[in-house]
Amino acid sequence: MRLLLVEDDLELANGLVHALAQSGYTVDSVQRGGDALTACATTAYQLVVLDLGLPDIDGVEVLRRLRRDVMTMPVLILTARDDVQHRVQGLDAGGDDYLSKPFDVAELEARIRALLRRGDPTGATLRLGLLAFEPAARRLTVAGVDLELTARELGVVELLMRRPGRIVSKKQIFDSVYDDEHDAGLSNVEVLVSRVRRKLAASRAGVGIRVFRGMGYRLELAQARDANPA
Ligand code: CA
């Protein structure tokens, strides 16, 4: 489980990173909104803890941009105790829950667990071509017929479907599907993706994974892929 903590109060941030690491989470910590957007664009996080009062881009704006880029991971907002208006803006911008400062770390962890259990807050079915993925059921279908994939293969498809039109790097896929592995390397991602490519091709979903050498992968409609062979 990889989380992103966006908090410019360094003392608070360091304490939270330490506590969350103790509970088994991998936590990346940034202090600025701009760095949060960069981090989310390059790494697949299962959840973001976002302070709203940041020195550069306001946390509400960070959240709006994440949601605009179809990043649907749960976001837990941190606000000043009496900042009701900011809190409401945060929830309106796509926040899933909030905590007012000061808070107990145990409560933060309970909220994080609840959000992770809930999974994709929108729960919306992702679609491309004849391919449809239902996040809650973790069900992938082609024109309504189940496509049997392993949990990791499904993870690859989900990640690519959540980044429509964008290239996803090997490292992003690795971080997303091999989080608990010690013996896996980026070459495992290549093998995994080629398996998914074969299954998609055989499924006649009209969707394929285009390989960008040295960069990563993108999910595309077969027509677009045929026009620009990798
Ligand atoms: Ca702050």
Side-chain angles (χ1 to χ4, degrees), residues 197-219:
R197 292 182 86 198
R198 278 199 301 277
K199 288 191 180 178
L200 284 179
S203 78
R204 305 199 176 284
V207 172
I209 298 173
R210 183 172 168 194
V211 181
F212 292 81
R213 244 168 250 300
M215 292 175 67
Y217 308 96
R218 187 165 73 196
L219 199 63

Side-chain angles (χ1 to χ4, degrees), residues 20 40 50 61 83 131 135 138 191 195:
L20 291 169
C40 287
L50 176 67
E61 181 57 25
D83 197 354
L131 204 59
R138 306 214 53 74
V191 175
R195 240 180 12 236

Side-chain angles (χ1 to χ4, degrees), residues 5 7-17 29-31 101:
L5 172 65
E7 170 58 71
D8 60 316
D9 178 338
L10 267 182
E11 197 179 331
L12 175 60
N14 290 339
L16 293 180
V17 167
S29 174
V30 296
Q31 284 84 53
K101 296 178 186 177

Side-chain angles (χ1 to χ4, degrees), residues 125-146:
T125 300
L126 306 167
R127 292 176 196 281
L128 186 68
L130 299 176
L131 204 59
F133 178 69
E134 297 164 38
R138 306 214 53 74
R139 179 171 180 233
L140 187 70
T141 57
V142 175
V145 179
D146 283 296

